[in-house]
Amino acid sequence: MRIYLGAAPGVGKTYAMLCEGKRRLERGTDVVVGYVETHGRAKTAALLEGLEVVPRAVRPYRGTEFTELDVPAVIARRPGVALVDELAHTNVPGSANEKRWQDVEELLDAGIDVVSTVNVQHLDSVNDVVERITGVPQRETVPDEVVRRADQVELVDMAPEALRRRMAHGNVYAPEKIDAALGNYFRVGNLTALRELALLWLADKVDDQLGRYRADHDIRGTWEARERVVVALTGGPEGDTLIRRAARVADRSKGADLLAVHVARSDGLTDASPANLARQRALAESLGGSYHQVVGSNVPDALLDFARGVNATQLVLGASRRGRVAQLFSRGVGVTTTAHSGAIDVHLVTHEETNQGRRWKALRSVWGVPARRRGAGFLLAALGLPLLTLLLDHVRGPVSLTSDILLFQAAVIGVALVGGLYPALFAAVAGSLLLNWFFTPPLHTFTVHDPEALLQLLVYVVVGVTVSTIVDVTARRSREAGQARADAEVLSTLAGDILRGEHGGVAPAGRTGPGALAGIMERLRETYALTSVTLLERDPDAPATPGATRDPGRWTIVASVGGEPCTSPDAGESDVLVDDSLALVLRGRTLPASDRRLLEAFAAQAAVALRHQRLAEAAEQVPPLAAADRMRTALLNAVSHDLRTPLASAKAAVESLRSPDVVWSLEDQDELAATAAESLDRLDRLVANLLDMSRLQAGSLGMALRPVAVEDAVPRALGDLGDAAAAGVEIRVPDGLPELVADPALLERVLVNLIANALRHNPPGRPVLVTASALADRLELRVIDRGPGIPPADRDRVFEPFQRLGDRDNHTGVGLGLALSRGLAEAMAGSIEIEETPGGGLTMVLTLPAAPDRAAAPAGTRDRGER
């Protein structure tokens, strides 16, 4: 499939498609025209000469005949190439496929090559963007994937000024449409934006094709066809600076991609801060970039593999945080990456953490084991070595010097297992001195005459130090792996709870805050046996006062679990600042620094849960606002006509009466006055309905509920309708019915609307029937007509404002009657439902509560009480 993509109508897509068909025909290819729309353009129509055209299929629809692509006829003809215009076209209802692109897929499946056309505004992914730019909605769309699957997509481009000249010369639209088109859709700004959208969309497709080609041919080198800036994140605080610097680098190249990547070590042992990474991910995405995470044991190699995989042209790294002494022994990630980057440009960015080192982490790595175990190791060395010396001195004869050294070596390893590296080093040095003094000739001196004995002592010290170091490193890694595994289990459980929704929706008992957020905080409290966990928020726009950032008055409690919540970060034993405005405060016990990383992960999850909760709350506001907007639009559309009509009639009648040029008879004067009064009455009812509907929606409608007799309410409603309307209504209300509880005026309004609606739909010569009956503690009034009825699927719609389904006279009223009636009935603790009238028609059932102080009497014979 080959597709000609255009930025707007009139750029020459169909012309290019027909030219391609002509070229293929001249080369001997069997080409037919499946469907081409020339839009009356003479030069385009001239290209059809010499091309075989497959007759179109004729589809009748609503009394009119339409023509569509005849897919079976094209398949039966089996050409080599079929030309099919307007890929996004929607077929006439009744066609085999809803969309023309589905017809094209049938042709492709049949082995027929297709050449087609489409405009960028019809692509699903940019349809809404085009509407915002041009103000014109595009209802015919085609999925992007259909166009992306095409073997070839060619852009038919034209400068906006050139396209406007084509239109002005009459080469695109008929003369009567030119001025409107040039002043609206075809403005220079619109065309420029559409052209850029088409170019960018096509660039993305070309980029996909290039990526597939490089992958198929195993090309790993960088092709600088498009700028891509990759920024490497370590999870440290300097990441924000790097992202902003990389974004500025990307902005210098229009259309450059920004990719942030974090390399996680494959052993899971990392000092990256989850809170920093979460914040930096949000920052990268807010700047138009994307976030990625890869796993690798060698950070420079993993980073370069990722950069080459995405065909990056530039790489942004932070300068090393290690101290100058540490850099003497290892070049570091930045220098190593730069040395092996090849064609990728590397930017080493300085920041606040440069050359600051990691003193606390280095101190922890020196000691390695807890103080209690170190003390036990030193004690074991101080007591065990003298005891071993006494034992070996007692059995000096049978045991050689070599055996003595091996036994002391075993003692050193035991000390290393218990106390770590430094107690083992102490044991190795002390053991060498004891061996030299007590067991190496000459005894009781530190002099060694035998070179072999000296070599044995030196090997003992070297082996002791080496083994101690290996044992200590292994023990430290084992502890770190165990801690990482425990952290991973906690985070896995937390993620599982969130995904399963165990804490979603409603906050658990005894907690405040959204359900998912409270669940995360409760998991944190349980994990570390805390008294309370509180999430605080500070207004980021509040003026900064030096020394007052932790003032309780600047913080508000977002959510809390456990005991008494904290009111400021200083109120707890530990706190984690998620960002400038959020802080997670813990009370109950002071947590060690080794748990800081996991606390930051909990804090990051809590911030994400809070953000999602607020987005959900904002999303919940969208449907009511959209509904209000639709109602406002419908109101304007309806009222614009229905307010003017009675006003115009009344004004015309009054001006006619006041006209000095005409002498009206008394009958004419009465008729004009009656017309003005009737029009003003219609206007008064319309305004009253609108006001009552607005009061209902605002919840401010005043009511005076009291017992009302049905036999009094129905006649009053007929009186408001007038004698002519009342003549078409038959009332059957039995005697002995209890009174109902309602506001008399509102009840009368409801009955007037229901009866007027029934009269409007009832066939001439047949009366509308009004009946009433008691059912338990409710009264039901039925308004029955014999009209066409309403399909069950549309029955709820008639109670929506501004709906006039099936009205024979669609020029009177704004469709508020039934909506207002239901609202008034519900305000009086009643309801209105729709039932089908047996034999055809519609029955409106008004149900209201019966007065509690009067019992319903037996109905008796209904015919006797009819009136």
Side-chain angles (χ1 to χ4, degrees):
M1 181 163 66
R2 179 183 184 130
I3 294 178
Y4 287 95
L5 174 67
V11 295
K13 302 180 304 299
T14 305
Y15 190 90
M17 179 184 69
L18 291 173
C19 289
E20 176 66 15
K22 286 275 194 178
R23 282 193 295 270
R24 296 197 183 195
L25 185 64
E26 291 172 358
R27 293 197 300 266
T29 305
D30 185 11
V31 179
V32 301
V33 174
Y35 189 99
V36 166
E37 186 60 66
T38 63
H39 297 288
R41 298 163 191 166
K43 294 183 178 179
T44 303
L47 288 175
L48 287 172
E49 297 180 6
L51 291 172
E52 178 183 349
V53 179
V54 176
R56 301 180 184 182
V58 179
R59 304 269 189 260
Y61 181 66
R62 293 186 175 179
T64 306
E65 290 186 344
F66 297 87
T67 60
E68 297 288 359
L69 170 65
D70 195 337
V71 177
V74 176
I75 294 177
R77 169 65 177 73
R78 298 201 65 81
V81 176
L83 308 182
V84 181
D85 206 3
E86 298 181 352
L87 187 64
H89 172 75
T90 301
N91 292 330
V92 173
S95 302
N97 296 313
E98 180 184 358
K99 295 285 189 175
R100 183 163 292 162
W101 61 263
Q102 295 170 323
D103 295 339
V104 167
E105 288 190 336
E106 285 194 28
L107 298 181
L108 294 171
D109 291 340
I112 301 172
D113 292 345
V114 175
V115 182
S116 188
T117 64
V118 70
N119 280 330
V120 68
Q121 67 262 29
H122 297 302
L123 298 174
D124 268 340
S125 62
V126 298
N127 181 262
D128 56 337
V129 179
V130 173
E131 182 176 353
R132 286 196 297 270
I133 293 172
T134 65
V136 179
Q138 303 291 335
R139 294 180 175 83
E140 293 187 328
T141 61
V142 58
D144 287 48
E145 183 59 27
V146 173
V147 183
R148 289 189 184 276
R149 286 202 306 265
D151 300 278
Q152 301 175 53
V153 178
E154 181 175 332
L155 180 67
V156 181
D157 192 24
M158 181 175 288
E161 295 78 7
L163 178 56
R164 286 171 58 85
R165 282 197 300 271
R166 284 197 66 197
M167 294 194 64
H169 294 158
N171 295 330
V172 179
Y173 286 157
E176 64 273 12
K177 297 180 180 180
I178 293 175
D179 291 339
L182 291 175
N184 293 281
Y185 190 89
F186 288 85
R187 295 195 299 267
V188 172
N190 290 356
L191 295 176
T192 303
L194 292 173
R195 189 185 187 196
E196 183 176 18
L197 281 176
L199 289 169
L200 290 175
W201 190 94
L202 189 59
D204 286 338
K205 175 174 171 55
V206 172
D207 194 56
D208 291 341
Q209 291 176 328
L210 179 61
R212 287 196 297 270
Y213 179 85
R214 285 166 51 85
D216 293 342
H217 293 78
D218 196 26
I219 299 173
R220 300 185 180 275
T222 300
W223 287 6
E224 298 180 7
R226 182 176 181 177
E227 289 289 342
R228 280 187 179 81
V229 181
V230 173
V231 53
L233 304 178
T234 65
E238 75 282 357
D240 297 32
T241 302
L242 300 182
I243 292 172
R244 293 188 175 93
R245 177 61 181 273
R248 292 196 295 272
V249 172
D251 287 342
R252 296 192 190 110
S253 302
K254 194 69 174 178
D257 292 335
L258 173 64
L259 299 91
V261 59
H262 169 66
V263 179
R265 286 176 52 182
S266 56
D267 58 8
L269 304 177
T270 177
D271 61 345
S273 167
N276 286 342
L277 287 176
R279 184 183 68 254
Q280 290 159 12
R281 175 175 186 166
L283 175 61
E285 292 174 348
S286 69
L287 294 174
S290 58
Y291 177 85
H292 309 268
Q293 182 164 316
V294 297
V295 178
S297 57
N298 187 291
V299 175
D301 289 346
L303 186 58
L304 288 173
D305 287 344
F306 174 82
R308 294 186 180 111
V310 298
N311 200 25
T313 56
Q314 302 191 59
L315 185 58
V316 177
L317 299 172
S320 178
R321 287 185 287 165
R322 300 178 307 145
R324 292 182 176 85
V325 176
Q327 294 182 38
L328 294 176
F329 299 96
S330 174
R331 297 193 301 175
V333 173
V335 177
T336 305
T337 303
T338 303
H340 297 90
S341 62
I344 302 176
D345 296 335
V346 179
H347 304 260
L348 278 178
V349 180
T350 57
H351 48 82
E352 299 83 359
E353 303 294 323
T354 302
N355 295 330
Q356 296 299 311
R358 303 180 184 180
R359 299 179 180 85
W360 172 241
K361 184 174 183 295
L363 182 60
R364 288 179 56 199
S365 65
V366 165
W367 291 115
V369 296
R372 180 178 300 179
R373 285 186 55 187
R374 290 197 305 272
F378 279 112
L379 182 62
L380 178 61
L383 297 179
L385 293 180
L387 291 176
L388 179 60
T389 302
L390 291 175
L391 177 62
L392 293 177
D393 187 60
H394 182 69
V395 294
R396 180 183 301 273
V399 180
S400 66
L401 177 60
T402 303
S403 298
D404 294 336
I405 292 176
L406 290 176
L407 290 173
F408 269 84
Q409 190 76 67
V412 172
I413 294 174
V415 171
L417 291 174
V418 173
L421 177 61
Y422 285 89
L425 294 178
F426 169 75
V429 174
S432 66
L433 294 176
L434 290 173
L435 283 168
N436 192 356
W437 182 269
F438 288 101
F439 303 104
T440 305
L443 301 179
H444 307 300
T445 67
F446 290 110
T447 304
V448 180
H449 293 305
D450 186 358
E452 184 177 353
L454 179 60
L455 178 61
Q456 290 175 341
L457 287 175
L458 291 176
V459 170
Y460 158 76
V461 173
V462 172
V463 171
V465 172
T466 303
V467 171
S468 301
T469 303
I470 293 174
V471 169
D472 181 77
V473 171
T474 303
R476 188 185 305 117
R477 292 301 184 215
S478 177
R479 286 190 306 274
E480 291 176 351
Q483 181 64 40
R485 183 168 58 252
D487 293 351
E489 290 176 357
V490 172
L491 293 175
S492 176
T493 303
L494 172 64
D497 290 348
I498 296 173
L499 289 175
R500 289 191 298 270
E502 292 182 1
H503 299 293
V506 182
R511 312 169 194 172
T512 63
L517 176 58
I520 294 172
M521 296 169 62
E522 178 64 19
R523 178 69 64 182
L524 174 59
R525 190 185 70 82
E526 292 173 353
T527 301
Y528 293 104
L530 300 170
T531 303
S532 68
V533 178
T534 308
L535 183 64
L536 300 176
E537 185 175 28
R538 179 170 58 88
D539 184 4
D541 298 327
T545 303
T549 56
R550 305 176 77 84
D551 181 11
R554 299 172 63 89
W555 297 88
T556 57
I557 298 174
V558 177
S560 67
V561 297
E564 182 181 356
C566 301
T567 56
S568 74
D570 291 334
E573 279 75 16
S574 301
D575 65 273
V576 180
L577 293 177
V578 182
D579 52 32
D580 293 338
S581 60
L582 285 177
L584 195 64
V585 187
L586 317 176
R587 174 180 287 170
R589 66 187 183 94
T590 302
L591 298 180
S594 58
D595 291 328
R596 187 75 181 182
R597 189 166 60 90
L598 190 57
L599 290 179
E600 291 177 345
F602 271 101
Q605 291 284 357
V608 170
L610 177 62
R611 188 179 302 115
H612 286 179
Q613 172 67 21
R614 289 177 173 173
L615 288 175
E617 291 173 355
E620 290 176 357
Q621 302 299 322
V622 173
L625 292 175
D629 185 66
R630 288 194 300 270
M631 181 176 292
R632 187 181 301 110
T633 302
L635 173 64
L636 291 175
N637 292 338
V639 172
S640 61
H641 172 270
D642 292 286
L643 279 177
R644 285 199 302 265
T645 301
L647 278 175
S649 299
K651 182 179 179 180
V654 172
E655 287 180 349
S656 298
L657 288 173
R658 295 183 59 205
S659 174
D661 300 331
V662 180
V663 178
W664 302 100
S665 65
L666 292 177
E667 292 181 357
D668 292 336
Q669 292 177 10
D670 290 341
E671 184 177 352
L672 290 172
T675 300
E678 181 181 353
S679 298
L680 292 175
D681 286 342
R682 285 176 55 195
L683 184 61
D684 180 66
R685 287 195 298 270
L686 173 62
V687 173
N689 282 342
L690 291 172
L691 291 175
D692 285 344
M693 179 59 71
S694 65
R695 293 192 188 103
L696 271 177
Q697 292 178 342
S700 59
L701 184 66
M703 290 185 298
L705 300 179
R706 61 183 179 85
V708 179
V710 178
E711 55 268 23
D712 296 333
V714 177
R716 282 201 300 269
L718 291 181
D720 287 348
L721 288 171
D723 295 339
V729 180
E730 180 181 352
I731 304 174
R732 296 182 183 177
V733 178
D735 294 330
L737 284 178
E739 295 179 328
L740 52 82
V741 178
D743 182 295
L746 299 184
L747 174 61
E748 185 177 335
R749 292 282 303 281
V750 172
L751 290 173
V752 167
N753 286 333
L754 295 181
I755 296 173
N757 185 72
L759 288 170
R760 188 161 56 250
H761 294 90
N762 206 49
R766 305 194 66 175
V768 170
L769 182 61
V770 179
T771 69
S773 60
L775 181 64
D777 60 345
R778 315 285 288 179
L779 261 74
E780 292 183 348
L781 284 83
R782 282 179 164 78
V783 180
I784 305 168
D785 67 62
R786 297 289 179 177
I790 299 176
D794 292 335
R795 288 180 182 175
D796 286 337
R797 290 181 56 200
V798 300
F799 293 109
E800 296 177 5
F802 316 114
Q803 297 291 330
R804 295 181 289 197
L805 301 179
D807 279 2
R808 288 190 297 267
D809 178 11
N810 201 30
H811 301 286
T812 60
V814 293
L816 277 177
L818 293 180
L820 179 61
S821 298
R822 172 173 273 189
L824 295 175
E826 291 175 349
M828 294 184 292
S831 64
I832 296 179
E833 302 295 337
I834 295 178
E835 295 179 357
E836 186 175 356
T837 302
L842 203 67
T843 299
M844 292 286 186
V845 183
L846 170 63
T847 303
L848 289 168
D853 56 341
R854 292 185 56 181
T861 305
R862 292 179 179 256
D863 291 341
R864 187 174 56 197
E866 290 173 3
R867 56 175 74 193

